[in-house]
Amino acid sequence: MRFRHPDGSVVHLSYCTNVHPAETLDGVRAQLRDHCEPVRRRLGRAGLGIGLWLARDAARALTNDPAELRALRAELDSRGLEVVTLNGFPYEGFGADEVKYRVYRPDWTEPDRLAHTTDLARLLAALLPDDVTEGTISTLPLAWRTPYATDPGAPRTARTALTTLAQRLDALAELTGKSIRVGLEPEPGCTVETTVDAIAPLTDVGHERIGICVDTCHLATSFEDPGTALDALTAAGIPVVKSQLSAALHAEHPHLPEVRTALAAFAEPRFLHQTRTRTAAGLRGTDDLDEAIAGGALPDSTPWRAHFHVPLHAPPAPPLTSTLPVLRTALTRLVGGAVPLTRHLEVETYTWQALPAELRPRTRTQLADGIAAELTLARDLLVDLGLKELP
């Protein structure tokens, strides 16, 4: 979905396909047929943007066979789908029964991360629509905090890898005329947990093609104020490469038994749901929601937020809610000004099948309806900010 910003530029809205697990190229094609095209049809649009997730095996298949890459590009066109952004955070196994800490490997101290991201950049340059010259990729925020924090050589290794990536992106732009940028995506528990944490390492890299991906669920989970965070990035000269529009789980009164019971329904075995609370002494947190619910790990006199991407249009029932207001505020700052801070927006609710059983979509039709509803909400927010939806 494309929108005309008041400054004349085009802002792209996509939804991320990591909600549809697929490790192979055949699996990716099935996603396009069974999920992405049906969402487009529900929205009544001739074209729909998707933030494609290509697992390692799928990416390698495309990298090793130019004919397969051309065929994928042709299939995207035939189904009315376009790709301007990739989710390069998960490497493989995102559809496994238990993902948890595995999603952070390989990290930016490991050669496979650089090789995979380089492949993704080359693939994206080939998949971009003919009239689009800029693509973006989100990636993990260097590493999970351990063992990175205990390895004195880790920061230098990661910085070298990102510098090498920047050089490769420069060469790719010269070769193809397509500018691909990569954004570190701050996430609770990681080396780069907040936008503030991103400033020093990105300043060290010091390259316009390496910036930040602002995920509004992560921003809210860490209790960051969107305006303060974005102002700090702007002052430091750190580009917002893309933004993922997502909402976290919010519990205003976690000391109440009924709130603990409601939260427990979201504690599930597949994904990590880092939980945070803001106290007078600073931010406190646990690596997962069940640790917080068990008691003692977090103070419960202040609100809790958990890294659980809840559907944008359907916040959980009371006594819980979502951080959609944080998303609204962030979006206003991102694209509501005279000039947009980013032109690539991606709805990223990958946790539909991790929701409490009574909230999960039971069929492909229900899932497509839910994704279409999320995109409709995002579209309405953009229109309210003065952007004009393009055909």
Side-chain angles (χ1 to χ4, degrees):
M1 300 172 74
R2 299 186 182 193
F3 297 81
R4 181 74 64 190
H5 189 274
D7 78 339
S9 63
V10 174
V11 172
H12 294 264
L13 173 65
S14 308
Y15 92 88
C16 187
T17 65
N18 63 355
V19 64
H20 314 302
E23 299 291 321
T24 66
L25 189 51
D26 284 344
V28 171
R29 291 196 178 100
Q31 289 178 343
L32 305 183
R33 179 191 67 233
D34 297 338
H35 300 288
C36 302
E37 188 173 5
V39 170
R40 178 184 65 77
R41 293 183 184 277
R42 275 164 177 73
L43 291 167
R45 295 192 50 85
L48 175 68
I50 57 171
L52 199 59
W53 174 58
L54 296 172
R56 179 197 63 175
D57 289 349
R60 285 182 179 176
L62 292 169
T63 299
N64 293 334
D65 191 339
E68 291 281 19
L69 180 56
R70 289 193 295 271
L72 179 62
R73 169 65 189 276
E75 182 164 2
L76 287 165
D77 291 342
S78 69
R79 295 190 184 280
L81 305 170
E82 68 175 19
V83 176
V84 302
T85 190
L86 300 180
N87 188 329
F89 196 136
Y91 179 72
E92 61 183 348
F94 202 60
D97 291 338
E98 183 177 330
V99 178
K100 298 290 185 181
Y101 295 95
R102 292 172 52 192
V103 75
Y104 305 107
R105 302 292 302 274
D107 62 33
W108 277 101
T109 68
E110 301 173 86
D112 283 348
R113 176 58 65 173
L114 173 60
H116 179 60
T117 309
T118 301
D119 285 345
L120 293 180
R122 292 168 178 162
L123 295 173
L124 181 55
L127 293 174
L128 286 176
D130 292 338
D131 63 343
V132 174
T133 58
E134 180 179 301
T136 58
I137 301 171
S138 47
T139 188
L140 84 163
L142 299 184
W144 186 251
R145 66 180 183 277
T146 55
Y148 189 98
T150 58
D151 178 0
R156 175 177 294 181
T157 301
R159 182 173 63 250
T160 298
L162 289 172
T163 300
T164 300
L165 175 65
Q167 293 167 349
R168 293 176 180 178
L169 296 178
D170 282 344
L172 182 64
E174 186 173 348
L175 178 66
T176 66
K178 306 290 187 177
S179 175
I180 307 299
R181 298 192 297 164
V182 174
L184 303 185
E185 181 185 332
E187 177 169 311
C190 292
T191 300
V192 174
E193 175 160 338
T194 67
T195 53
V196 172
D197 294 336
I199 291 175
L202 289 176
T203 300
D204 285 346
V205 173
H207 198 286
E208 63 181 1
R209 299 194 199 278
I210 309 294
I212 192 170
C213 168
V214 174
D215 183 301
T216 58
C217 169
H218 303 173
L219 190 80
T221 301
S222 293
F223 287 87
E224 289 196 81
D225 173 72
T228 302
L230 293 171
D231 285 348
L233 293 173
T234 300
I238 305 299
V240 180
V241 168
K242 64 185 279 190
S243 179
Q244 289 172 329
L245 306 183
S246 54
L249 191 63
H250 180 94
E252 185 69 19
H253 302 292
H255 65 285
L256 297 176
E258 60 268 31
V259 174
R260 295 294 183 99
T261 299
L263 284 170
F266 288 84
E268 52 83 38
R270 186 173 175 187
F271 298 113
L272 207 60
H273 301 297
Q274 302 94 312
T275 304
R276 298 289 185 267
T277 188
R278 183 172 54 188
T279 71
L283 207 62
R284 295 277 301 278
T286 60
D287 282 356
D288 216 343
L289 181 56
D290 55 358
E291 300 170 35
I293 295 169
L298 282 184
D300 59 10
S301 58
T302 50
W304 289 1
R305 289 178 179 172
H307 172 217
F308 194 118
H309 291 218
V310 296
L312 302 186
H313 69 293
L320 304 179
T321 187
S322 81
T323 61
L324 184 61
V326 176
L327 184 159
R328 291 175 182 270
T329 301
L331 192 61
T332 299
R333 296 298 295 268
L334 286 166
V335 299
V339 177
L341 298 183
T342 184
R343 294 182 177 88
H344 288 183
L345 305 171
E346 178 184 62
V347 172
E348 198 217 9
T349 305
Y350 60 83
T351 43
W352 281 94
Q353 298 303 334
L355 290 166
E358 67 275 12
L359 301 178
R360 293 175 199 165
R362 294 183 175 85
T363 64
R364 289 177 184 169
T365 297
Q366 290 179 350
L367 178 57
D369 288 343
I371 293 170
E374 288 194 291
L375 286 167
T376 297
L377 182 148
R379 178 192 64 194
D380 291 346
L381 291 178
L382 292 174
V383 171
D384 288 346
L385 289 172
L387 283 72
K388 180 180 179 181
E389 186 176 6
L390 297 176

mmCIF file with all atom_site columns, all heavy atoms in Angstrom, residues 327-339:
data_model
loop_
_atom_site.group_PDB
_atom_site.id
_atom_site.type_symbol
_atom_site.label_atom_id
_atom_site.label_alt_id
_atom_site.label_comp_id
_atom_site.label_asym_id
_atom_site.label_entity_id
_atom_site.label_seq_id
_atom_site.pdbx_PDB_ins_code
_atom_site.Cartn_x
_atom_site.Cartn_y
_atom_site.Cartn_z
_atom_site.occupancy
_atom_site.B_iso_or_equiv
_atom_site.pdbx_formal_charge
_atom_site.auth_seq_id
_atom_site.auth_comp_id
_atom_site.auth_asym_id
_atom_site.auth_atom_id
_atom_site.pdbx_PDB_model_num
ATOM 1  N N   . LEU A 1 327 ? 1.993  3.467  19.753 1.00 0.00 ? 327 LEU A N   1
ATOM 2  C CA  . LEU A 1 327 ? 2.116  3.361  18.299 1.00 0.00 ? 327 LEU A CA  1
ATOM 3  C C   . LEU A 1 327 ? 1.595  4.635  17.633 1.00 0.00 ? 327 LEU A C   1
ATOM 4  O O   . LEU A 1 327 ? 2.237  5.188  16.733 1.00 0.00 ? 327 LEU A O   1
ATOM 5  C CB  . LEU A 1 327 ? 1.350  2.141  17.794 1.00 0.00 ? 327 LEU A CB  1
ATOM 6  C CG  . LEU A 1 327 ? 1.439  1.790  16.299 1.00 0.00 ? 327 LEU A CG  1
ATOM 7  C CD1 . LEU A 1 327 ? 1.087  0.324  16.079 1.00 0.00 ? 327 LEU A CD1 1
ATOM 8  C CD2 . LEU A 1 327 ? 0.494  2.644  15.443 1.00 0.00 ? 327 LEU A CD2 1
ATOM 9  N N   . ARG A 1 328 ? 0.427  5.102  18.074 1.00 0.00 ? 328 ARG A N   1
ATOM 10 C CA  . ARG A 1 328 ? -0.160 6.304  17.472 1.00 0.00 ? 328 ARG A CA  1
ATOM 11 C C   . ARG A 1 328 ? 0.779  7.505  17.623 1.00 0.00 ? 328 ARG A C   1
ATOM 12 O O   . ARG A 1 328 ? 0.982  8.273  16.678 1.00 0.00 ? 328 ARG A O   1
ATOM 13 C CB  . ARG A 1 328 ? -1.499 6.620  18.138 1.00 0.00 ? 328 ARG A CB  1
ATOM 14 C CG  . ARG A 1 328 ? -2.615 5.622  17.834 1.00 0.00 ? 328 ARG A CG  1
ATOM 15 C CD  . ARG A 1 328 ? -3.857 5.993  18.647 1.00 0.00 ? 328 ARG A CD  1
ATOM 16 N NE  . ARG A 1 328 ? -4.957 5.066  18.469 1.00 0.00 ? 328 ARG A NE  1
ATOM 17 C CZ  . ARG A 1 328 ? -5.907 5.177  17.542 1.00 0.00 ? 328 ARG A CZ  1
ATOM 18 N NH1 . ARG A 1 328 ? -5.875 6.207  16.708 1.00 0.00 ? 328 ARG A NH1 1
ATOM 19 N NH2 . ARG A 1 328 ? -6.872 4.291  17.454 1.00 0.00 ? 328 ARG A NH2 1
ATOM 20 N N   . THR A 1 329 ? 1.326  7.658  18.822 1.00 0.00 ? 329 THR A N   1
ATOM 21 C CA  . THR A 1 329 ? 2.225  8.790  19.065 1.00 0.00 ? 329 THR A CA  1
ATOM 22 C C   . THR A 1 329 ? 3.476  8.677  18.217 1.00 0.00 ? 329 THR A C   1
ATOM 23 O O   . THR A 1 329 ? 3.942  9.662  17.624 1.00 0.00 ? 329 THR A O   1
ATOM 24 C CB  . THR A 1 329 ? 2.598  8.848  20.556 1.00 0.00 ? 329 THR A CB  1
ATOM 25 O OG1 . THR A 1 329 ? 1.409  8.993  21.343 1.00 0.00 ? 329 THR A OG1 1
ATOM 26 C CG2 . THR A 1 329 ? 3.524  10.012 20.848 1.00 0.00 ? 329 THR A CG2 1
ATOM 27 N N   . ALA A 1 330 ? 4.038  7.475  18.157 1.00 0.00 ? 330 ALA A N   1
ATOM 28 C CA  . ALA A 1 330 ? 5.249  7.266  17.364 1.00 0.00 ? 330 ALA A CA  1
ATOM 29 C C   . ALA A 1 330 ? 4.989  7.535  15.880 1.00 0.00 ? 330 ALA A C   1
ATOM 30 O O   . ALA A 1 330 ? 5.797  8.179  15.196 1.00 0.00 ? 330 ALA A O   1
ATOM 31 C CB  . ALA A 1 330 ? 5.768  5.840  17.567 1.00 0.00 ? 330 ALA A CB  1
ATOM 32 N N   . LEU A 1 331 ? 3.858  7.051  15.383 1.00 0.00 ? 331 LEU A N   1
ATOM 33 C CA  . LEU A 1 331 ? 3.542  7.226  13.977 1.00 0.00 ? 331 LEU A CA  1
ATOM 34 C C   . LEU A 1 331 ? 3.371  8.703  13.635 1.00 0.00 ? 331 LEU A C   1
ATOM 35 O O   . LEU A 1 331 ? 3.789  9.164  12.558 1.00 0.00 ? 331 LEU A O   1
ATOM 36 C CB  . LEU A 1 331 ? 2.275  6.445  13.630 1.00 0.00 ? 331 LEU A CB  1
ATOM 37 C CG  . LEU A 1 331 ? 1.949  6.295  12.142 1.00 0.00 ? 331 LEU A CG  1
ATOM 38 C CD1 . LEU A 1 331 ? 3.055  5.554  11.410 1.00 0.00 ? 331 LEU A CD1 1
ATOM 39 C CD2 . LEU A 1 331 ? 0.621  5.560  11.971 1.00 0.00 ? 331 LEU A CD2 1
ATOM 40 N N   . THR A 1 332 ? 2.787  9.452  14.559 1.00 0.00 ? 332 THR A N   1
ATOM 41 C CA  . THR A 1 332 ? 2.639  10.895 14.343 1.00 0.00 ? 332 THR A CA  1
ATOM 42 C C   . THR A 1 332 ? 3.995  11.558 14.170 1.00 0.00 ? 332 THR A C   1
ATOM 43 O O   . THR A 1 332 ? 4.191  12.415 13.295 1.00 0.00 ? 332 THR A O   1
ATOM 44 C CB  . THR A 1 332 ? 1.880  11.534 15.519 1.00 0.00 ? 332 THR A CB  1
ATOM 45 O OG1 . THR A 1 332 ? 0.572  10.947 15.602 1.00 0.00 ? 332 THR A OG1 1
ATOM 46 C CG2 . THR A 1 332 ? 1.752  13.031 15.339 1.00 0.00 ? 332 THR A CG2 1
ATOM 47 N N   . ARG A 1 333 ? 4.954  11.152 14.992 1.00 0.00 ? 333 ARG A N   1
ATOM 48 C CA  . ARG A 1 333 ? 6.299  11.722 14.892 1.00 0.00 ? 333 ARG A CA  1
ATOM 49 C C   . ARG A 1 333 ? 7.033  11.210 13.661 1.00 0.00 ? 333 ARG A C   1
ATOM 50 O O   . ARG A 1 333 ? 7.840  11.934 13.067 1.00 0.00 ? 333 ARG A O   1
ATOM 51 C CB  . ARG A 1 333 ? 7.105  11.402 16.152 1.00 0.00 ? 333 ARG A CB  1
ATOM 52 C CG  . ARG A 1 333 ? 6.556  12.026 17.422 1.00 0.00 ? 333 ARG A CG  1
ATOM 53 C CD  . ARG A 1 333 ? 6.559  13.556 17.335 1.00 0.00 ? 333 ARG A CD  1
ATOM 54 N NE  . ARG A 1 333 ? 7.909  14.104 17.248 1.00 0.00 ? 333 ARG A NE  1
ATOM 55 C CZ  . ARG A 1 333 ? 8.635  14.476 18.280 1.00 0.00 ? 333 ARG A CZ  1
ATOM 56 N NH1 . ARG A 1 333 ? 8.139  14.377 19.500 1.00 0.00 ? 333 ARG A NH1 1
ATOM 57 N NH2 . ARG A 1 333 ? 9.843  14.964 18.116 1.00 0.00 ? 333 ARG A NH2 1
ATOM 58 N N   . LEU A 1 334 ? 6.784  9.970  13.283 1.00 0.00 ? 334 LEU A N   1
ATOM 59 C CA  . LEU A 1 334 ? 7.501  9.369  12.156 1.00 0.00 ? 334 LEU A CA  1
ATOM 60 C C   . LEU A 1 334 ? 7.073  9.950  10.818 1.00 0.00 ? 334 LEU A C   1
ATOM 61 O O   . LEU A 1 334 ? 7.910  10.229 9.953  1.00 0.00 ? 334 LEU A O   1
ATOM 62 C CB  . LEU A 1 334 ? 7.297  7.855  12.148 1.00 0.00 ? 334 LEU A CB  1
ATOM 63 C CG  . LEU A 1 334 ? 8.057  7.064  13.212 1.00 0.00 ? 334 LEU A CG  1
ATOM 64 C CD1 . LEU A 1 334 ? 7.505  5.647  13.314 1.00 0.00 ? 334 LEU A CD1 1
ATOM 65 C CD2 . LEU A 1 334 ? 9.557  7.033  12.889 1.00 0.00 ? 334 LEU A CD2 1
ATOM 66 N N   . VAL A 1 335 ? 5.768  10.109 10.619 1.00 0.00 ? 335 VAL A N   1
ATOM 67 C CA  . VAL A 1 335 ? 5.306  10.534 9.292  1.00 0.00 ? 335 VAL A CA  1
ATOM 68 C C   . VAL A 1 335 ? 4.334  11.709 9.337  1.00 0.00 ? 335 VAL A C   1
ATOM 69 O O   . VAL A 1 335 ? 3.836  12.129 8.293  1.00 0.00 ? 335 VAL A O   1
ATOM 70 C CB  . VAL A 1 335 ? 4.650  9.357  8.522  1.00 0.00 ? 335 VAL A CB  1
ATOM 71 C CG1 . VAL A 1 335 ? 5.639  8.225  8.315  1.00 0.00 ? 335 VAL A CG1 1
ATOM 72 C CG2 . VAL A 1 335 ? 3.398  8.865  9.235  1.00 0.00 ? 335 VAL A CG2 1
ATOM 73 N N   . GLY A 1 336 ? 4.051  12.250 10.531 1.00 0.00 ? 336 GLY A N   1
ATOM 74 C CA  . GLY A 1 336 ? 3.083  13.327 10.638 1.00 0.00 ? 336 GLY A CA  1
ATOM 75 C C   . GLY A 1 336 ? 3.661  14.717 10.515 1.00 0.00 ? 336 GLY A C   1
ATOM 76 O O   . GLY A 1 336 ? 2.919  15.701 10.522 1.00 0.00 ? 336 GLY A O   1
ATOM 77 N N   . GLY A 1 337 ? 4.976  14.815 10.380 1.00 0.00 ? 337 GLY A N   1
ATOM 78 C CA  . GLY A 1 337 ? 5.605  16.119 10.271 1.00 0.00 ? 337 GLY A CA  1
ATOM 79 C C   . GLY A 1 337 ? 5.739  16.597 8.839  1.00 0.00 ? 337 GLY A C   1
ATOM 80 O O   . GLY A 1 337 ? 5.216  15.991 7.901  1.00 0.00 ? 337 GLY A O   1
ATOM 81 N N   . ALA A 1 338 ? 6.475  17.685 8.659  1.00 0.00 ? 338 ALA A N   1
ATOM 82 C CA  . ALA A 1 338 ? 6.651  18.270 7.327  1.00 0.00 ? 338 ALA A CA  1
ATOM 83 C C   . ALA A 1 338 ? 7.389  17.326 6.393  1.00 0.00 ? 338 ALA A C   1
ATOM 84 O O   . ALA A 1 338 ? 7.143  17.306 5.182  1.00 0.00 ? 338 ALA A O   1
ATOM 85 C CB  . ALA A 1 338 ? 7.403  19.592 7.443  1.00 0.00 ? 338 ALA A CB  1
ATOM 86 N N   . VAL A 1 339 ? 8.300  16.535 6.971  1.00 0.00 ? 339 VAL A N   1
ATOM 87 C CA  . VAL A 1 339 ? 9.070  15.549 6.202  1.00 0.00 ? 339 VAL A CA  1
ATOM 88 C C   . VAL A 1 339 ? 9.039  14.242 6.981  1.00 0.00 ? 339 VAL A C   1
ATOM 89 O O   . VAL A 1 339 ? 9.278  14.235 8.196  1.00 0.00 ? 339 VAL A O   1
ATOM 90 C CB  . VAL A 1 339 ? 10.531 16.009 6.006  1.00 0.00 ? 339 VAL A CB  1
ATOM 91 C CG1 . VAL A 1 339 ? 11.347 14.946 5.280  1.00 0.00 ? 339 VAL A CG1 1
ATOM 92 C CG2 . VAL A 1 339 ? 10.579 17.321 5.241  1.00 0.00 ? 339 VAL A CG2 1
#
